[in-house]
Amino acid sequence: MPRKGRRPSRSIVLRRWLAVGALVLVALLYYRPLKAYIDARGQLAQHQHMVQQLRADKAMLEHRLGSSTSIATLAREARALGYVRPGERLYIVKGINHWRKLQRASMMARGGH
């Protein structure tokens, strides 16, 4: 003969449902702060990476600044900007890229490298 299971009393069922409801309420109350915390951690990681990159850029710029105080470096940078020394003449040559293409084409036609 199968045993008949006893049905739990109403008060026990009610307590169980109240416990489940309390757990759901606690989960709902913790959702937003937990989501904000996780988002803030992600932003913090991004900002830390950005700060690390900026520190590397700063170190490189400080190195360039330290090396740019020599006369030779300043002269090289000035020439790159188009400055000339007193007594020199500035010549602007146009069409260099076209000339280079023609030179390459003629070298290839002759079988050169």
Side-chain angles (χ1 to χ4, degrees), residues 30-43:
Y30 270 98
Y31 171 74
R32 281 195 179 170
L34 189 61
K35 184 177 182 312
Y37 173 75
I38 291 170
D39 290 344
R41 280 185 53 191
Q43 287 179 354

Side-chain angles (χ1 to χ4, degrees), residues 24-74:
V24 168
L25 179 65
V26 167
L28 287 175
L29 291 175
Y30 270 98
Y31 171 74
R32 281 195 179 170
L34 189 61
K35 184 177 182 312
Y37 173 75
I38 291 170
D39 290 344
R41 280 185 53 191
Q43 287 179 354
L44 178 64
Q46 287 177 348
H47 288 147
Q48 284 176 341
H49 178 70
M50 191 181 308
V51 166
Q52 208 172 24
Q53 183 66 38
L54 288 172
R55 283 185 178 147
D57 290 347
K58 180 184 175 197
M60 183 207 47
L61 289 172
E62 285 177 346
H63 176 70
R64 282 183 60 195
L65 178 65
S67 68
S68 71
T69 56
S70 70
I71 299 295
T73 306
L74 289 176

